[in-house]
Structure formats: C-alpha cells, structure tokens
Amino acid sequence: MEAVDHLAPERNRAQFDVEEMKIVWAGSRDAFEVSDRMSRLVASDPVFRKDNRPMLGRKELFKNTLRKAAHAWKRIIELRLNEEEAYRLRFYVDEPAFTDLHWGMFIPAIKGQGTEEQQQKWLPLAYKMQIIGCYAQTELGHGSNVQGLETTATFDPQTDEFVINSPTLTSSKWWPGGLGKVSTHAVVYARLITDGQDQGVHGFIVQLRSLDDHLPLPGITIGDIGMKFGNGAYNSMDNGVLRFDDVRIPRNQMLMRVLQVTREGKCVQSNVPRQLIYGTMVYVRQTIVSDASCALSRAVCIATRYSAVRRQFGSHNGGPETQVIDYKTQQARLFPLLASAYAFRFIGEWLKWLYTDVTGRLQANDFSTLPEAHACTAGLKSLTTSATADGIEECRKLCGGHGYLCSSGLPELFAVYIPSCTYEGDNVVLLLQVARHLMKTISQLGSGKKPVGTTAYMGRVEQLMQCRSDVQIAEDWLKPNVVLEAFEARAARMSVACAQALSKFTNPEEGFQQLSADLVEAAVAHCQLIVVSKFLEKLQQDIPGKGVKQQLQILCSIYALFLVHKHLGDFLSTGCITAKQGSLANEQLRSLYSQVRPNAIALVDAFDYTDHYLGSALGRYDGNVYPTLYEEAWKDPLNESVVPDGYQEYVRPMLKQQLRNARL
Ligand SMILES: Cc1cc2nc3c(=O)[nH]c(=O)nc-3n(C[C@H](O)[C@H](O)[C@H](O)COP(=O)(O)OP(=O)(O)OC[C@H]3O[C@@H](n4cnc5c(N)ncnc54)[C@H](O)[C@@H]3O)c2cc1C
C-alpha cells in the first residue's frame, strides 16, 4: 500500500520555500548537507533504535548505550568522518552517554587549561579514545560554589607528586557524567595545597581505572549515583560518585596553563592570563544554547504536526471536526514557542561567532570584551534552557492526553532536557552573575568607561530613561526600531532601578542579597533584549528563497511581541510603553498568529528532523498518528500476556472472596 501523507494539504499551504528555510536553519548549505546525511545514516541503522528505551531496565539500558556508543565510534572510523560529521552523528544517536562528557568537557578542559606539552600528551589519546575522560568538579556538598570544593591535591616535594584526598563525605565527587562506570580518566577539580598553603581550586588529570581490566586504581572508590528522573531519559548516563584516599599523580598532571607548580613546590603564575579559562566556558555554553534550540524545535515539531492532525469539536452536519491548531488558544501557546525555537537557533549561531571573536582577542592579549562575553553567555545559557524546559512541558500539554504517553516522545525529551537548567551553572546563579555585571557596567558609566558588546546600549542610558514609545497603531509594532527601543528602555530602566536601590545600602553585598530577586528580573530583561536584537540583526542579512525572509520577520515579531505581552508589567511599570500600546502589541500578535498558521507545518519541516530523531508517534512526518499510537501500545511488555502476571495471586482471590464483615 502506498504511504499517505496526511499532512500534505498543510504542506501545500506554505507560502515560502521550505528547502531554502532548511539551509537557513542549518546555518549553511554545507551544514545542512552534513546534518541531513548524518541524521539519515543514524535513522537507517537498526543498532540506533530507541523506541524501546523507556521500557528497558537500567542495566539493559546502560549496556545498550555502550553498544550504541561503540557502534557510533566504529562507523565514525569506517566512514572516515571528520569532526563535524562525527559530532552530528553522535547528536542524532540521541542518547546521553559518557561520550558527551568525553568530547564536550574532558577534551575542551585539557585544551583550555593544559600546557602545550600536556595537550600533546593527552589529546591524541583522547581523540583516539584510547582513554575516556570525564569532568569531575561537583561534590556532594558543593556545586554552584566552586570555591567551596573540599577535595585536596597536596604537593609532595619528596616524590614530585600530588596526593589527592577526599577528606569528608561531602567532598565526594557527585554527578560527573561518564564517571560512574566508564571513564578511565577525569579532570578532577581540587584545592591545591603547597607547603601547607591553600592555593585555591585547580584542575588535575587523574587516572581512575586500569586500562587493562577497568578496575579502579588503588585508593579510588567509584560508582554510579543511581536512577534519575524519567524512564530511559538521562538514565543511559552513568553519573558517578568518586572518592580519593591518598591517590598519587605525577606533578605534570596538574593542568598548568595558567598556574604552574615547580619541582620545589613553588606556585608560579605563567605568562598566560587567567582569563583564558573563560574562553572554554564561552565555548561550552554556546553549545548548550545551540542544544536548546534543537530540543525546543523538536518538541514544537511534534506539537505542531499533532495539532494539525488532532480534531476536536466543531463538526457541522457530520463534517470533520476542527483541527486543534485552528483554536486561537492553541496558536497563542504554540506559535511563540515556534518563534522561540528560531530565535534560539540564531542566538546560538551568533554565540559561535562570539566564541571565535573572543578566542581571536585572547590570542592577541585583548581582554576588553571578555567580562561582557562571559556574562552574555551565562545569561543566554540561563534564558534559553529555562524557556526550553518550560516549552517542552507546554508542548506536552498542547498534545493533550496523548502527550503524556512515552510514545509521544515528549516525556523522555523533557526528562533528558531539564537538568540543563542546573548543570554548567544553575540558571538563577548565572542570572545573578549577569546582574553583577550589569551593576558594574552602570557604576562605571560616570567614569567614562564605554560599555561594550551587548551592554553597549547602556551607553545611551540617559536617552533610554526618557524615551517614550511612539506606537500609535498595531502595525507600528512591526518596526524593528520601535521594538528595539522598547526592549532597550525596559532593560536599562530595570537595571538602573536596581542600581539606585542598591546605592541606598551601606553594605553593597547585603544590598545585592536583599535585591537579588529584582536583579534576576533585570538580568532576564537584558538577556531577552540580546535575543531580540540578534534576531533583528539576522533579518538585516541577505536571506534568499521565496518568502523565507518574510516568515522569519513574522517569527521575530511574534517572539518580541509575545515577550511584551508576557512581561507587560515590566514595560508598563518602567513607563516604556502605555497600557494602550501594550494592547496594540497584543492585537498585532493575534494578526501574526493568523499569518503563521498556513505555514506552521512547513516551518517545522524546515528543521529537517527524521522520524527516528523525533521518536514520536504524534510528530510523524506523514501525520499517520492513530495507527502508530495503536501499534505502539501493543508493544508494551504488559501486553505480552492477555492475563497479567499476578492475576492468580492478587486479583482472583479478591474477586472470589466472600466478604462477611466489611464496613464499606
Ligand atoms: C544531569 C546532571 C549532570 C551533571 N553533570 C556534571 C558533570 O559532568 N560534572 C560535574 O562536575 N558536575 C555535573 N553536574 C552537577 C552540576 O554542575 C551541579 O548540580 C550544578 O552546578 C548546580 O550545583 P548544585 O547541585 O550544588 O546546586 P545548588 O547550588 O546547591 O543549588 C540549589 C539551589 O540553591 C540556589 N542557589 C545556589 N547558590 C545561590 C546563590 N548564590 N544565590 C541564590 N541562589 C542560590 C540555586 O538557584 C538552587 O535553586 C551535573 C548535574 C546534573 C543534574
């Protein structure tokens, strides 16, 4: 029987060139080609099957993850894939695994913090996977407060070694991915002690397990920390616990790019500036922002396709019911998420540029933009991951009851995604760092120090404190300068209000603590401004393809105006816009939703996700939802027998009992 595309009528309504949009989404024709090829390669390989994942027990799940990782590595070698292709292939395998930390944290840490010599020794081993590494920073007692870590690395001048110890239970390393069962090595963060002096927290390369039989080396206690949220989900990862009891490593295994310990045990600052380490952080956070757009777009793709298939109410004379995507409430919940997925895609792309820019400047010993770049990536990591976690849950609700089934793909996606609000910096802690940077920027305005990069608008603070939006009709909200000014004015005024409130405290730190909830809101306003302004900048570029740019303009306006609507209190209380202008923004938003509606399916098709990657009965490309849901249900282990295990022991006796004295 020929396959039917139930969504074909929707696809035919598109007013733009989907193939060209795919290129825009991917970033370039080349990137599209690689991504498309790798996704299809993974989808067609039975080893990468994942539909049974939520049903597997932990041990089975984990073993299967090891099998997939080994198979992926085999394919990478056989096909002689380059770095980008290999990254994409692992991405589409779509299963959290030790390899994420090996490639995403262990290698970048050595690159960023190791000396040339150390890089030459360790990186070739890591690139060939002759050693497998993880990133062991967090402890049972401390995560966000890195300076509070308790693990010690004491220099022993007699033997030219560091002695690593976990002096307390709370100093046990706790959480590192890949540590529990697989990693042979780790970059361990510990307090450096030389000559009885605490020199602060530094990174050390420590071998954990034998390369012959994988047993822990002497003095090392190591294991998995246990099941995590959800079925399948992040349980394919061996987040681990690690304790050290007098573990000795050679002196040259401290990562010494910035600080060196000499043979005599003296600490010598190298000529490489400390700030270099921030470069790695910018890199890692940029990848997290890119991942946010992938996770959100995936959830949105499922919810959009299903919303076009699902019909409820509104049948006239026996005709079809209304597609739920045509309900305005559905659109008002779904389309801002669709717009956010695109917005996050472009901000991720821009962050890639920022990383290159920062790296170039660091090499030229120019640190002027570093604090701003650091704050910006911290804030964007927080903003995009929080919005994505909330957005996936909203997509589940948009799919009604069926969204709660594992076969919708949404529960597992949510469970896998949400820890990104916590790892690589708790989102609130990161926003407080952004707020500190904003307060510093404002305090330096008087001294003539010009704010740079994404804080440059603060240089026009006087004008931004006074400007009034000149929106008169709803369409005025489509003008980029009108939107930009409203967001700049709101962000500047919220920061200035915090700075003024702070100045009333004699102890600034006490003031910062007291005002921290307001400061976080000011930081969010600043980060939203960055996303809006970079989306607007993207639209300045030449974007080929019939109707492509127009669709992006609509999505950009939806992203911005939805934020105006959601944070209307901020815009009104800071006097940036009037209540009337706020309601005009909402009016414009309604009209934009109607414009997106015929293009919705094509806009999610542009993500170019295979059915394998989506892993969803609801989000299938062909919209053939109900037969798939039906078939999936029969695959459940409970349906292997008609009468369930346990019937004879527990159900039958209940049914057959002769109750005499019940009080029911
Ligand atoms: C799935 C997963 C994978 C991980 N992988 C790794 C890994 O590979 N390697 C590794 O080293 N670590 C890893 N981690 C640990 C992770 O980095 C930490 O959990 C994270 O840094 C947060 O620290 P915490 O758990 O101590 O939270 P806490 O800091 O204890 O946060 C608890 C609460 O306190 C609040 N809070 C904390 N400080 C402040 C403050 N100054 N002001 C206001 N509020 C505050 C937070 O907002 C939060 O609400 C992982 C964690 C998870 C969940």
Side-chain angles (χ1 to χ4, degrees), residues 48-55 68 406-407 412 612 615 632 635:
F48 296 130
R49 174 185 172 196
K50 59 182 185 175
D51 56 328
N52 57 348
R53 208 162 42 188
M55 257 97 79
K68 287 184 189 180
C406 282
S407 57
E412 205 184 11
H612 172 273
E632 285 299 315
K635 289 185 196 161

Side-chain angles (χ1 to χ4, degrees), residues 67 117 122 160 174 198 271 347 380 390 438 507 634:
R67 176 170 173 242
E117 224 172 87
W122 295 101
D160 198 22
W174 190 269
D198 185 334
N271 54 3
I347 200 72
L380 291 174
D390 294 348
L438 292 174
N507 177 347
W634 292 111

Side-chain angles (χ1 to χ4, degrees), residues 101 135-138 142-145 174-177 228 234 239 419 422-426 428-429 432 513:
L101 282 301
Y135 185 87
Q137 182 175 297
T138 307
H142 285 100
S144 300
N145 180 11
W174 190 269
W175 270 120
K228 290 147 292 195
Y234 217 82
N239 293 93
T422 306
Y423 58 59
E424 266 309 296
D426 169 86
V428 171
V429 174
L432 287 167
Q513 296 303 329

Side-chain angles (χ1 to χ4, degrees), residues 19-39:
E19 296 308 312
E20 285 295 331
M21 188 66 95
K22 285 182 183 171
I23 311 288
V24 176
W25 176 264
S28 69
R29 196 165 290 277
D30 208 33
F32 168 75
E33 191 275 321
V34 170
S35 176
D36 188 65
R37 193 157 37 86
M38 290 302 121
S39 68

Side-chain angles (χ1 to χ4, degrees), residues 11 51 64 69 78 85 146 161 172 248 318 338 390 404 450 453 469 477 519 553 606 626 638 651:
R11 297 195 163 100
D51 56 328
N64 208 25
E78 280 170 357
E85 290 168 327
V146 178
E161 290 170 321
S172 310
R248 289 180 168 265
L338 174 63
D390 294 348
Y404 191 62
K450 254 187 141 188
S469 171
W477 275 115
L519 284 158
Q553 274 160 342
Y626 296 124
L638 270 189
V651 182

